[in-house]
Amino acid sequence: MPAVSKGDGMRGLAVFISDIRNCKSKEAEIKRINKELANIRSKFKGDRALDGYSKKKYVCKLLFIFLLGHDIDFGHMEAVNLLSSNRYTEKQIGYLFISVLVNSNSELIRLINNAIKNDLASRNPTFMGLALHCIANVGSREMAEAFAGEIPRILVAGDTMDSVKQSAALCLLRLYRTSPDLVPMGDWTSRVVHLLNDQHLGVVTAATSLITTLAQKNPEEFKTSVSLAVSRLSRIVTSASTDLQDYTYYFVPAPWLSVKLLRLLQCYPPPDPAVRGRLTECLEAILNKAQEPPKSKKVQHSNAKNAVLFEAISLVIHHDSEPNLLVRACNQLGQFLQHRETNLRYLALESMCTLASSEFSHEAVKTHIETVINALKTERDVSVRQRAVDLLYAMCDRSNAQQIVAEMLSYLETADYSIREEIVLKVAILAEKYAVDYTWYVDTILNLIRIAGDYVSEEVWYRVIQIVINRDDVQGYAAKTVFEALQASACHENLVKVGGYILGEFGNLIAGDPRSSPLTQFHLLHSKFHLCSVPTRALLLSTYIKFVNLFPEVKGTIQDVLRSDSQLKNADVELQQRAVEYLRLSTVASTDILATVLEEMPPFPERESSILAKLKKKKGPSTVTDLEEAKRERSADVNGGPEPAPASTSAVSTPSPSADLLGLGAAPPAPAGPPPSSGGLLVDVFSDSPSAAAPLAPGSEDNFARFVCKNNGVLFENQLLQIGLKSEFRQNLGRMFIFYGNKTSTQFLNFTPTLICSDDLQANILGPTKPVDPAVDGGAQVQQAVNIECVSDFTEAPVLNIQFRYGGTFQNVSVKLPITLNKFFQPTEMASQDFFQRWKQLSNPQQEVQSIFKAKHPMDTEVTKAKIIGFGSALLEEVDPNPANFVGAGIIHTRTAQIGCLLRLEPNLQAQMYRLTLRTSRETVSQRLCELLSEQF
């Protein structure tokens, strides 16, 4: 920027500002401003032409008056005239006035655009910088139309100065954000990527911001930026603080650029192995630096250092492919949980919530449970306490469910009112999801109602009633427990609703005890009647008529209540109608008719838990990030019975009660044309005339391999669509939830999932599915449930094809669905003697398959253990004479057979090799399991 000469001080402006500040009242200020406006107006309209200095001074005064909140309706032309000046300060004030006061509809916009074009063509870097700043500040659609084609040329031109490149990159970013349709993609896109190699770090920083935004919408255009970004990041991470002196901030080299590069890499999946190795080194270096003692005690140093660290952890979580890094990230975040800085504790809890959703780091997150519970009890900041609740919810599994639920209930008594409803929903979900003993579930929900009854929504008590009705083994206990809970002098109305419903259905199960006789049950419920709202009273009246059927001995007492004026002449129409109809029913109906009309409620059909839907709604619109809430325990089960999904009305009909996967069973009617040349069976779940399927998406095989040892995560992602999976398997049955997330702001139309399934696979895997809404709103997520049954062992995997229309364009995506034989593995614990006895029994050559292969990943013991457990077998400790070897055992469950499986993995650290041996009672099973497991190491 050129130096400002002494004569540019504008003494008149300084005097005017001083006068305004010295005004004693608002009236005095307005009077002084009006006087000045009259003077400026007269100067502009005078006969004598004003010189550049005077125009600049008066325009600057107008700008100051506008900033004080007063309207300015003249002076715009004088400001435009300043743009043609060759003096920097005059041109600067002209651009400043235009940026603040001129709107896009102004008649002067054409003159302004011409002046900007002249400055951009001048090749004077100072003037070009001012013009680019003005375009970015205005950022209107008109500006984009005029300059969106010119700015990319300036950005990639070889003779453009570094300062102008910076301004051009940021200006183009501003125009793309306001009018993306007006910024043309062309040859410049491949050239702008190479700015990441520029010697000037300011240019690299600005270019990284631009490329990150462009890559989010056009990833294919900028995929070459990944290797360049990793290379640049590597140079920064490995540099000393003295190497980048101008860009070192409190001993942290280029922290802003590092953060931007890490964010750019999060736009893409893990890179190729060569680049991935270098990126892994960078991330390890960042994690290592976080462990080093601080080089400065100032907060700026720790802020810059932690900013890079948290962005690196976000990238590790995004890739979800490096177990070592995930565990290290978790341990690093664990150190922040007790940091004295509140913001660090908050960020650590938030990041660990996401880490808890990874198969590889879930166990590491669980080790910090005591620290998180302590934060829940002692943290002063409510937002940090809320993140602690979220983390407890995310890390919960069967091993710690009772502890976490108990701590949440304990905290609920003193929790802030703003988060109580969310905690209630989470406790209800966890209690249902991980209830091994349903008596514990009933106790938990009743305790929940007692502690926070006002925050227990209808979905919660509806759900507990559904589960009690669907579970014969808990009905008697539930009736006994609610009966005892209702004896409290004060109980919440939601408890009365649950008690009324359960006693009305199952009160007969406890009627044999004199302490809970039919008459006692009735008097207990009726004592709460006058305290309840109308809907609860209506429910209790239904309970009373149920009692008439269950306990004939109380019929007269209940009829007296129904006959009373308070019921028959009740002001509420619903209560009055129920009383009249129930009284008449109990009077005229025979015992058989009563038993038929008032018979026990049948089991509820299972569907997605309404509590979970309620929690998602409370957390905001359903988005793709909801996938991260999926728990990583492969044995997790939604309790309350298997989920029979309703058949689609347009699905292919089948004569058997079990359809194959996604509704394929019997062959559809023979088509008039020739059969598909692929030889596979292609049936659309929701349409009778499917389109041709696309080839497998890039990276589909890699993603498929990642899911062999895990059940949950993101299966596919591009700029439009994210497909996530949450699966659970038990013996020969499985359930898979497929999440389709719309990442755009535009609705998907004709959204149609289709399955490609060979005849052999179709015969070996059976299960119905739920249909999906054909319209998926922008930013929304829809879920599809698939029930699976393994009939016999299989080797292939089905292909999921998704077709939809986005913005008038047909989209066609195909991915392999990770339904593999090992998903039906059930772990089996065995002693050393039993293992080797069984190993010898399976000694026939046809029963053993062995593979010797080179290690593809670092040979880490803990990661290997996690993968073997994730594969489905039990990891048997102290069985093999060589402690370095890994031994596993399990049973593959199919409908027709149970196939015992033994495995032995022998690592050779020196040669970086593995020998994997599998023995089963069936050759095809040994071969398939060996293929699947060997790909994991």
Side-chain angles (χ1 to χ4, degrees):
M1 181 183 294
V4 179
S5 66
K6 189 175 181 180
D8 287 332
M10 292 189 289
R11 183 173 178 276
L13 175 64
V15 171
F16 173 61
I17 293 174
S18 179
D19 290 346
I20 293 296
R21 289 177 175 172
N22 292 330
C23 289
K24 303 298 184 183
S25 64
K26 187 69 175 176
E27 291 75 12
E29 177 184 310
I30 294 174
K31 183 177 179 181
R32 179 68 181 88
I33 288 174
N34 287 337
K35 178 182 176 182
E36 190 64 37
L37 287 174
N39 177 55
I40 296 172
R41 199 185 300 268
S42 65
K43 294 291 185 182
F44 284 168
K45 291 185 176 180
D47 296 333
R48 196 177 66 172
L50 293 175
D51 59 8
Y53 171 80
S54 299
K55 282 184 184 179
K56 176 185 70 172
K57 179 177 66 175
Y58 293 135
V59 167
C60 214
K61 286 183 178 181
L62 291 176
L63 183 58
F64 178 72
I65 292 170
F66 175 78
L67 295 177
L68 289 175
H70 300 271
D71 292 333
I72 300 298
D73 56 3
F74 69 99
H76 299 75
M77 193 63 204
E78 285 70 17
V80 173
N81 290 337
L82 286 175
L83 300 184
S84 59
S85 171
N86 287 322
R87 292 177 65 87
Y88 170 78
T89 54
E90 294 173 10
K91 190 181 288 285
Q92 180 192 37
I93 294 299
Y95 274 123
L96 182 60
F97 185 93
I98 288 165
S99 299
V100 176
L101 273 89
V102 175
N103 60 48
S104 58
N105 297 323
S106 172
E107 297 175 353
L108 300 173
I109 199 71
R110 184 171 295 177
L111 291 174
I112 295 169
N113 286 351
N114 286 335
I116 292 174
K117 285 180 180 178
N118 291 335
D119 283 337
L120 290 179
S122 69
R123 313 309 293 175
N124 182 320
T126 305
F127 293 171
M128 292 176 74
L130 286 174
L132 290 167
H133 292 171
C134 180
I135 296 170
N137 286 332
V138 176
S140 65
R141 191 168 181 83
E142 289 73 16
M143 287 286 187
E145 289 175 346
F147 302 108
E150 174 66 19
I151 295 173
R153 287 196 291 272
I154 295 173
L155 177 60
V156 299
D159 58 346
T160 304
M161 291 188 64
D162 292 335
S163 61
V164 178
K165 285 183 181 179
Q166 283 181 262
S167 299
L170 296 177
C171 180
L172 188 59
L173 174 60
R174 162 72 167 161
L175 295 182
Y176 186 79
R177 284 175 174 168
T178 56
S179 306
D181 56 311
L182 296 180
V183 177
M185 296 292 119
D187 295 339
W188 65 271
T189 56
S190 58
R191 298 175 63 186
V192 77
V193 169
H194 291 284
L195 291 178
L196 295 176
N197 274 336
D198 199 279
Q199 296 297 316
H200 194 281
L201 287 190
V203 174
V204 180
T205 304
T208 305
S209 297
L210 174 63
I211 294 168
T212 301
T213 302
L214 293 173
Q216 289 171 351
K217 295 288 182 67
N218 307 279
E220 288 299 315
E221 293 269 358
F222 299 94
K223 62 184 179 181
T224 55
S225 65
V226 173
S227 59
L228 296 176
V230 171
S231 176
R232 174 63 76 174
L233 181 65
S234 177
R235 278 179 273 168
I236 295 172
V237 169
T238 56
S239 66
S241 57
T242 54
D243 296 342
L244 305 171
Q245 289 185 355
D246 292 340
Y247 288 87
T248 295
Y249 182 77
Y250 287 87
F251 304 102
V252 181
W256 285 276
L257 177 55
S258 299
V259 167
K260 290 177 184 292
L261 289 169
L262 290 165
R263 285 183 180 167
L264 171 59
L265 293 171
Q266 290 175 53
C267 297
Y268 292 93
D272 296 333
V275 180
R276 185 186 301 185
R278 193 170 183 183
L279 176 59
T280 301
E281 292 175 1
C282 293
L283 296 172
E284 287 176 343
I286 293 172
L287 291 173
N288 290 336
K289 286 184 178 181
Q291 299 288 345
E292 297 173 359
K295 296 180 180 178
S296 171
K297 294 183 178 180
K298 293 190 176 182
V299 68
Q300 292 93 335
H301 171 72
S302 62
N303 284 348
K305 186 176 176 183
N306 291 331
V308 177
L309 173 64
F310 276 102
E311 208 59 52
I313 291 174
S314 296
L315 179 60
V316 171
I317 295 171
H318 171 76
H319 284 172
D320 193 22
S321 60
E322 295 292 338
N324 290 329
L325 289 178
L326 285 163
V327 173
R328 285 196 61 189
C330 180
N331 294 334
Q332 180 63 51
L333 292 172
Q335 297 176 18
F336 289 143
L337 293 180
Q338 294 178 304
H339 199 278
R340 58 186 177 86
E341 177 62 42
T342 304
N343 288 337
L344 276 181
R345 296 197 300 274
Y346 180 94
L347 291 171
L349 289 166
E350 189 175 47
S351 297
M352 287 186 80
C353 283
T354 314
L355 273 175
S357 66
S358 171
E359 289 276 356
F360 304 115
S361 55
H362 182 76
E363 292 299 321
V365 172
K366 284 167 56 179
T367 61
H368 301 284
I369 184 171
E370 296 299 335
T371 307
V372 180
I373 290 172
N374 185 58
L376 191 64
K377 295 176 179 177
T378 61
E379 183 61 55
R380 288 176 294 177
D381 192 302
V382 61
S383 62
V384 181
R385 293 199 298 272
Q386 186 166 4
R387 293 287 81 79
V389 171
D390 291 342
L391 179 53
L392 286 174
Y393 177 77
M395 70 167 62
C396 189
D397 59 23
R398 287 199 187 281
S399 65
N400 57 20
Q402 295 196 13
Q403 180 188 4
I404 288 177
V405 168
E407 293 294 345
M408 283 188 171
L409 284 173
S410 175
Y411 172 62
L412 189 56
E413 299 191 39
T414 56
D416 296 82
Y417 294 109
S418 59
I419 62 174
R420 284 194 179 188
E421 185 180 0
E422 185 178 326
I423 296 175
V424 166
L425 292 172
K426 287 181 174 177
V427 169
I429 291 168
L430 294 178
E432 175 188 340
K433 186 176 182 65
Y434 299 113
V436 178
D437 180 0
Y438 280 92
T439 59
W440 172 74
Y441 171 73
V442 172
D443 290 338
T444 300
I445 299 299
L446 294 182
N447 201 17
L448 191 65
I449 295 173
R450 179 187 63 81
I451 295 171
D454 289 338
Y455 299 91
V456 175
S457 61
E458 288 186 339
E459 287 82 2
V460 174
W461 73 265
Y462 286 173
R463 189 65 179 164
V464 69
I465 285 173
Q466 288 178 14
I467 289 176
V468 170
I469 287 177
N470 287 5
R471 307 287 306 195
D472 295 340
D473 55 337
V474 79
Q475 290 164 358
Y477 180 81
K480 178 176 178 291
T481 306
V482 296
F483 176 79
E484 293 172 352
L486 286 170
Q487 294 179 19
S489 56
C491 54
H492 196 273
E493 189 170 333
N494 281 331
L495 181 59
V496 177
K497 293 176 182 176
V498 174
Y501 202 108
I502 290 178
L503 290 178
E505 295 294 328
F506 311 113
N508 60 311
L509 299 178
I510 61 171
D513 189 335
R515 294 170 295 180
S516 55
S517 64
L519 194 59
T520 305
Q521 292 183 40
F522 169 73
H523 285 312
L524 181 61
L525 286 175
H526 198 54
S527 67
K528 315 291 182 185
F529 187 89
H530 66 289
L531 301 172
C532 298
S533 63
V534 169
T536 306
R537 292 185 186 187
L539 185 148
L540 288 177
L541 289 179
S542 296
T543 299
Y544 297 166
I545 194 63
K546 287 267 188 176
F547 277 2
V548 171
N549 178 47
L550 289 176
F551 315 120
E553 61 268 32
V554 299
K555 180 176 180 179
T557 306
I558 292 175
Q559 284 179 332
D560 290 340
V561 171
L562 296 174
R563 198 178 287 118
S564 64
D565 287 347
S566 60
Q567 306 303 333
L568 293 181
K569 297 182 180 180
N570 197 295
D572 186 86
V573 175
E574 175 67 22
L575 293 181
Q576 185 186 99
Q577 182 177 355
R578 288 197 184 209
V580 170
E581 292 179 354
Y582 290 164
L583 177 61
R584 189 64 178 160
L585 179 63
S586 67
T587 304
V588 304
S590 65
T591 305
D592 292 340
I593 293 176
L594 274 177
T596 303
V597 175
L598 303 173
E599 67 179 348
E600 186 178 305
M601 281 290 291
F604 286 90
E606 274 298 326
R607 51 188 179 275
E608 181 192 14
S609 172
S610 57
I611 311 176
L612 191 58
K614 172 86 172 178
L615 179 62
K616 290 179 181 178
K617 182 179 179 181
K618 180 170 179 57
K619 295 293 280 184
S622 184
T623 60
V624 180
T625 56
D626 288 341
L627 294 170
E628 302 302 333
E629 292 183 12
K631 299 297 179 293
R632 299 308 184 190
E633 183 179 52
R634 70 187 309 276
S635 62
D637 180 34
V638 178
N639 296 308
E643 176 173 344
S648 170
T649 55
S650 60
V652 178
S653 60
T654 66
S656 66
S658 294
D660 67 3
L661 187 65
L662 290 185
L664 303 179
S677 59
S678 63
L681 180 60
L682 174 64
V683 177
D684 190 333
V685 188
F686 314 114
S687 172
D688 295 326
S689 55
S691 304
L696 288 179
S700 177
E701 292 288 352
D702 292 339
N703 285 340
F704 176 84
R706 286 172 53 209
F707 274 83
V708 169
C709 290
K710 70 175 189 175
N711 292 326
N712 311 288
V714 177
L715 177 65
F716 170 80
E717 184 172 12
N718 62 12
Q719 66 270 30
L720 303 179
L721 176 69
Q722 185 183 58
I723 304 174
L725 295 183
K726 177 184 176 186
S727 311
E728 47 204 29
F729 295 86
R730 180 169 295 173
Q731 296 185 0
N732 68 313
L733 300 176
R735 182 186 302 160
M736 178 176 287
F737 294 96
I738 308 174
F739 300 88
Y740 305 101
N742 183 347
K743 296 176 62 177
T744 73
S745 57
T746 304
Q747 187 183 55
F748 291 166
L749 299 176
N750 301 331
F751 189 83
T752 312
T754 306
L755 193 78
I756 303 172
C757 193
S758 70
D759 293 336
D760 290 340
L761 184 61
Q762 174 186 333
N764 292 329
I765 305 179
L766 302 176
T769 183
K770 286 174 62 177
V772 173
D773 193 324
V776 183
D777 293 333
Q781 172 186 297
V782 295
Q783 172 184 308
Q784 185 176 37
V786 179
N787 286 341
I788 307 159
E789 180 181 5
C790 181
V791 179
S792 181
D793 62 281
F794 58 97
T795 58
E796 301 176 47
V799 173
L800 180 65
N801 175 246
I802 300 97
Q803 300 177 6
F804 59 94
R805 289 201 170 272
Y806 165 73
T809 306
F810 178 74
Q811 305 289 332
N812 196 348
V813 177
S814 293
V815 293
K816 287 181 74 172
L817 206 58
I819 301 175
T820 51
L821 186 58
N822 66 293
K823 299 299 182 184
F824 304 97
F825 228 142
Q826 291 296 302
T828 304
E829 296 293 338
M830 300 178 73
S832 177
Q833 181 179 356
D834 297 334
F835 178 85
F836 285 107
Q837 181 180 354
R838 180 63 177 155
W839 184 267
K840 292 176 181 177
Q841 291 173 355
L842 297 172
S843 57
N844 292 338
Q846 296 85 0
Q847 296 174 329
E848 178 182 286
V849 173
Q850 190 173 91
S851 175
I852 300 174
F853 53 92
K854 192 79 175 174
K856 302 174 185 175
H857 308 286
M859 299 178 73
D860 183 274
T861 301
E862 293 303 317
V863 173
T864 303
K865 288 181 179 179
K867 287 185 176 180
I868 291 175
I869 294 172
F871 191 69
S873 75
L875 185 65
L876 306 182
E877 303 283 357
E878 300 179 0
V879 169
D880 197 293
N882 184 348
N885 293 345
F886 302 92
V887 175
I891 298 174
I892 295 288
H893 287 261
T894 71
R895 186 202 290 178
T896 56
Q898 294 185 6
I899 305 159
C901 307
L902 303 178
L903 68 87
R904 189 181 191 188
L905 181 68
E906 301 167 85
N908 186 332
L909 292 174
Q910 293 180 342
Q912 291 290 295
M913 302 279 287
Y914 285 103
R915 179 166 66 183
L916 174 64
T917 308
L918 266 139
R919 291 187 179 183
T920 76
S921 55
R922 190 171 297 179
E923 182 180 5
T924 54
V925 173
S926 301
Q927 187 67 43
R928 182 55 177 161
L929 292 181
C930 186
E931 291 172 1
L932 291 170
L933 189 56
S934 60
E935 289 297 317
Q936 302 303 306
F937 304 104

